[in-house]
Amino acid sequence: SSDLIQSLFTDQAATNAASQFNATSQNQVDQFFANLASQTSQFNAAQSNAQAQFNAGQANTVERFNAEMNNQRDQFNAQNQVVIAHQMI
């Protein structure tokens, strides 16, 4: 994916961008691409953080579900042991 992003910052892209916003110097073109790279990095970091938060939430949900299933199983087993014990008497 970084290769794809890097391909967007080619010399031809720089030439096109310079003509589109009427850059008057190479410095303006360089600044444009520096800002573009910074925004891309910020976006990628935000997406990465969002994905990590989602994954953590999913892991927590699965853990809670498993704990609840274990609890229900233990309660079921305990209740049925009482029923079986009463039937043996």
Side-chain angles (χ1 to χ4, degrees):
S1 65
S2 62
D3 292 337
L4 175 62
I5 293 169
Q6 194 57 42
S7 70
L8 299 174
F9 305 139
T10 62
D11 289 340
Q12 184 59 49
T15 301
N16 292 342
S19 64
Q20 286 179 2
F21 65 84
N22 297 323
T24 56
S25 70
Q26 183 61 43
N27 190 41
Q28 285 181 325
V29 174
D30 293 344
Q31 187 175 25
F32 170 80
F33 277 97
N35 288 338
L36 187 60
S38 175
Q39 290 171 359
T40 302
S41 293
Q42 288 175 353
F43 173 81
N44 288 341
Q47 292 300 102
S48 180
N49 289 340
Q51 186 67 53
Q53 288 174 353
F54 174 81
N55 289 343
Q58 292 298 98
N60 289 339
T61 298
V62 169
E63 280 185 40
R64 282 194 306 270
F65 174 80
N66 288 339
E68 182 61 28
M69 289 297 103
N70 289 337
N71 186 42
Q72 289 180 17
R73 182 200 62 224
D74 292 344
Q75 287 179 2
F76 174 83
N77 288 339
Q79 289 168 356
N80 283 301
Q81 284 174 352
V82 169
V83 170
I84 292 169
H86 282 234
Q87 289 176 351
M88 298 178 114
I89 297 174

